[in-house]
Amino acid sequence: RRGMTDPRVTKWARVLVDYSLAVQPEQLVVINGTPLAAPLIREVYRLVLERGAYPVVQVALPGLAEIFYKTANERQLTFVTPDERIGPEQADALLRILSESNTRALTGIDPARQELAQRARTELRQTYLERAAEGKLNWCVTLYPTEAYAQDAEMSLAEYEEFVLQAGFLDRDDPVAVWQERSREQARLIAWLADKREVHIRAPDTDLRLSIAGRRFVNADGRRNFPDGEIFTGPVEDSVEGTIRFSYPSMVQGRRVEDIRLWFEGGRVVKATAARNEEFLHAMLETDEGARYVGEFAFGLNRAITRFTGNILFDEKIGGTLHLAIGAGYPETGSRNRSAVHWDMICDLRHHSEVWIDGQLFMKDGEILI
């Protein structure tokens, strides 16, 4: 099949290398994707070399993960290869290009085997998060349009390509200028939130309180995720109380989990239901102690993303939504929650909802009021 037309891919690569990752001479830059992302991988590779840095390309063939989970013995599942370590432990910059040919390839895998492999990588994940928090690792996740993602989004490939480019403002003359402007607007919200303590969310089947006292919000402005457009923090671990219903299905490890509802007491998930794949939800919550606590709380603010596509990279940024992640928190927010899990779940606030912060109405029906 044809590659996306080159000028757009070249522009995209430039934004990733110069704005998102800010690649400098002599840095070690890991680029990770599948053969389907070849046009973008090539352009990024070229630019990394032009910037005087050292590119390392990791291309995974479709089907390998499935073979691994079905064939590996316990020791093989838990062995962390040097190849896996290079990004989190040694790279100065790490670009992950999501580019799957089949987003459901792992649906038939025993979740216990996935958990085992994940648990063995908890320390590696922690190293990755800590190096990022210390400013030693710039990482970015982007997504290259494939037939699989287009199918999940119920779009043609051409429509989906347009959607992806618009979400990253790559259809504009100067995408970086747009991201810088978004960054300033998000910084304004973060400044307002800086001294706040309690968040109270009321929406259909949702009445949730949590504390953000002493925690900081991070400005997600196209550097860590591309596209981006959210502000996130880690709530005080034992502060989450009440119930929340997630309006959108959540795709994780090849499974689509629908209509998730969580009940919290003292920060901990004490009850969880889902209309589909509930067993998998319970298995994930059992991974470790941290999996039952919230590691991330965030507001989606990208108004160029208006519709649900079944992919978390875009869906969690939809303007007028919020998301929680159970499991690992980001150390730079002040979160202390550790886990092998980090699972984002999205709640649409665009209808019949209110978010109160320290008794002030912060958001109503998805519109920010401050």
Side-chain angles (χ1 to χ4, degrees), residues 188-299:
R188 178 184 79 83
L189 299 178
I190 289 170
W192 187 87
L193 288 161
D195 57 350
K196 303 299 184 284
R197 302 180 65 82
E198 193 188 52
V199 180
H200 183 195
I201 302 133
R202 292 215 303 254
D205 301 309
T206 297
D207 192 342
L208 195 76
R209 290 177 189 270
L210 55 88
S211 169
I212 53 171
R215 298 298 167 95
R216 54 179 289 257
F217 273 86
V218 172
N219 190 342
D221 56 3
R223 291 185 168 88
R224 292 283 171 88
N225 284 180
F226 194 87
D228 217 330
E230 65 169 279
I231 55 174
F232 67 89
T233 190
V236 176
E237 284 72 18
D238 61 3
S239 73
V240 188
E241 294 282 346
T243 177
I244 184 164
R245 181 181 187 179
F246 297 98
S247 8
Y248 288 134
S250 183
M251 276 293 301
V252 69
Q253 294 185 15
R255 285 170 186 78
R256 187 179 168 100
V257 188
E258 289 176 14
D259 194 18
I260 298 171
R261 300 186 193 206
L262 302 178
W263 286 260
F264 289 91
E265 283 174 21
R268 203 165 175 275
V269 175
V270 292
K271 182 181 169 190
T273 64
R276 180 174 173 189
N277 276 321
E278 185 178 300
E279 224 170 289
F280 179 71
L281 171 63
H282 290 160
M284 290 291 276
L285 289 168
E286 288 301 316
T287 305
D288 49 36
E289 187 48 32
R292 285 186 180 270
Y293 288 84
V294 175
E296 181 190 358
F297 170 75
F299 292 105

Side-chain angles (χ1 to χ4, degrees), residues 292-351:
R292 285 186 180 270
Y293 288 84
V294 175
E296 181 190 358
F297 170 75
F299 292 105
L301 301 168
N302 187 334
R303 297 281 166 186
I305 304 176
T306 53
R307 58 184 282 184
F308 176 75
T309 62
N311 190 287
I312 192 65
L313 183 69
F314 298 92
D315 298 340
E316 68 175 5
K317 316 299 190 307
I318 295 171
T321 62
L322 70 76
H323 58 276
L324 293 185
I326 54 167
Y330 295 101
E332 61 264 49
T333 64
S335 174
R336 301 189 189 105
N337 203 39
R338 291 186 167 211
S339 174
V341 174
H342 179 93
W343 182 358
D344 293 290
M345 301 171 182
I346 307 154
C347 182
D348 191 351
L349 298 176
R350 290 175 292 184
H351 310 285

